[in-house]
């Protein structure tokens, strides 16, 4: 059992090392894009597939409260899954779950942060499509090959693609990347003098 546990740790560490090799530029660009959107007076709207929806809420909470240092609140919200019964897969409207909320609340210049595992999640795809019709930029945190979401992104959007196919490793990396983005945004918007 202990060897299995050590193996899980090793796999997770190796996935983080691989991500550390390929993601710094995307993370830097994403942080700069989000900071500029906030400077321009826009808001950040977050959503996620059911398996990582909690990350969308976590990131919106960090932005609207604080990460590690007290600072002014930033305008960020997470779209809700509460309307699931109205847009459930059973009635063929899963793609509309977040899209309707974006059409209701988002404005041109706002920014969408979309979390997905493999980029094939219908609700997140619908959110990205709705955001693009609103002239919003998109930051997509995905894994595997990026799926359909990757094909929707334009040159002004940022893809943070975790180099893994395993959902557990992808989510672990997304948590880390969310905290990395939070720290970078704070450093850009509220630089602290070194003591």
């Amino acid at each position: 059992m202990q060897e299995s546990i050590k193996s899980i740790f090793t796999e997770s560490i190796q996935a983080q090392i691989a991500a550390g090799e390929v993601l710094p530029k995307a993370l830097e660009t994403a942080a700069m894009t989000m900071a500029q959107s906030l400077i321009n007076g826009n808001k950040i709207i977050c959503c996620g597939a059911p398996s990582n929806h909690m990350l969308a809420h976590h990131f919106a909470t960090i932005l609207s409260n604080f990460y590690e240092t007290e600072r002014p609140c930033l305008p960020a919200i997470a779209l809700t899954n509460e309307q699931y019964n109205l847009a459930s897969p059973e009635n063929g409207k899963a793609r509309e779950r977040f899209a309707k909320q974006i059409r209701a609340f988002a404005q041109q210049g706002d920014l969408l942060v979309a979390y997905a595992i493999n980029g094939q999640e219908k609700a997140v795809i619908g959110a990205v499509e709705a955001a693009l019709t609103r002239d919003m930029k998109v930051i997509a945190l995905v894994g595997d090959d990026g799926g359909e979401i990757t094909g929707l992104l334009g040159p002004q959007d940022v893809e943070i693609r975790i180099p893994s196919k395993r959902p557990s490793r992808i989510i672990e990396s997304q948590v880390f990347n969310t905290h990395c983005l939070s720290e970078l945004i704070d450093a850009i918007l509220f630089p602290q003098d070194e003591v």
Side-chain angles (χ1 to χ4, degrees):
M1 182 73 86
Q2 289 185 17
E3 286 306 311
S4 294
I5 293 168
K6 288 179 183 177
S7 175
I8 293 168
F9 271 97
T10 300
E11 182 187 2
S12 180
I13 291 165
Q14 289 171 342
Q16 283 292 79
I17 290 170
E21 293 294 320
V22 298
L23 294 182
K25 179 65 176 159
L27 287 165
E28 178 185 30
T29 303
M32 295 296 288
T33 302
M34 285 189 266
Q36 190 59 55
S37 183
L38 292 165
I39 289 167
N40 292 343
N42 299 110
K43 61 187 167 294
I44 294 178
I45 299 173
C46 306
C47 73
S51 53
N52 49 11
H53 184 68
M54 79 290 187
L55 287 173
H57 278 274
H58 181 57
F59 192 41
T61 300
I62 286 172
L63 292 172
S64 61
N65 289 289
F66 66 92
Y67 178 54
E68 291 180 337
T69 307
E70 287 281 344
R71 54 144 168 80
C73 299
L74 301 172
I77 59 168
L79 301 179
T80 181
N81 260 336
E82 307 288 318
Q83 299 167 352
Y84 185 76
N85 61 334
L86 300 175
S88 66
E90 291 79 28
N91 66 18
K93 295 185 179 174
R95 205 173 186 114
E96 288 293 302
R97 185 176 318 145
F98 298 132
K100 285 185 174 187
Q101 295 172 69
I102 288 175
R103 288 193 289 271
F105 301 115
Q107 298 179 6
Q108 181 178 2
D110 289 344
L111 188 142
L112 176 68
V113 177
Y115 291 87
I117 298 297
N118 61 19
Q120 297 297 101
E121 296 87 345
K122 298 296 182 206
V124 181
I125 292 167
V128 171
E129 290 172 336
L132 296 175
T133 66
R134 291 267 188 217
D135 247 355
M136 296 169 62
K137 291 181 182 176
V138 175
I139 308 293
L141 289 96
V142 297
D144 203 348
D145 65 0
E148 191 174 333
I149 289 174
T150 295
L152 296 172
L153 302 177
Q156 77 285 355
D157 304 313
V158 182
E159 180 185 46
I160 301 170
R161 190 189 308 175
I162 289 86
S164 178
K165 293 185 177 299
R166 289 209 48 203
S168 55
R169 302 295 85 88
I170 292 166
I171 291 172
E172 288 166 4
S173 188
Q174 287 175 334
V175 170
F176 183 87
N177 292 327
T178 297
H179 291 161
C180 183
L181 289 169
S182 301
E183 193 167 326
L184 292 170
I185 290 166
D186 280 3
I188 294 165
L189 296 178
F190 308 101
Q192 301 289 319
D193 293 330
E194 295 293 326
V195 179

